[in-house]
Amino acid sequence: MIVAQIARIPPAGVAAFQQFESVVLPLMPRYGGRLHRRLRSADSCVELHIISFPSNDALDAYRSDPIRAEHLHLLVESEAVTELLELADVP
């Protein structure tokens, strides 16, 4: 499965969001996940990830990872608004 995650982060939350990402993105391979692209706006207030996981269950397992859960407060503190979109290749 291919997923795009869009995060919109208030300027005051950028540091906390980036700290959260630095902890959780390296966890993805444990669940078969792969970060294909990580794009960020010039002001760091919008970030887009193109990621893949072998299944919805693998994505759910990643999102339930205990280390990720331990650092979830950083995402909350960042006040980022995130959107997760499941996508497919277009022929």
Side-chain angles (χ1 to χ4, degrees):
M1 72 179 296
I2 299 171
V3 178
Q5 178 181 339
I6 303 166
R8 292 174 177 81
I9 311 116
V14 168
F17 181 81
Q18 290 178 356
Q19 187 177 359
F20 175 72
E21 294 290 283
S22 72
V23 172
V24 302
L25 291 178
L27 300 173
M28 290 191 342
R30 295 181 184 185
Y31 302 95
R34 180 173 171 219
L35 177 65
H36 297 272
R37 295 290 302 267
R38 184 178 183 190
L39 307 166
R40 184 181 294 153
S41 63
D43 65 1
S44 299
C45 290
V46 177
E47 193 159 316
L48 170 70
H49 299 170
I50 305 296
I51 59 177
S52 64
F53 280 89
S55 66
N56 280 325
D57 288 343
L59 174 60
D60 290 344
Y62 162 71
R63 293 178 62 107
S64 299
D65 181 277
I67 295 171
R68 187 178 184 279
E70 181 182 329
H71 292 86
L72 202 54
H73 68 93
L74 293 167
L75 181 61
V76 172
E77 290 169 18
S78 78
E79 297 184 353
V81 175
T82 61
E83 184 175 4
L84 203 61
L85 305 168
E86 187 173 341
L87 304 172
D89 287 317
V90 177

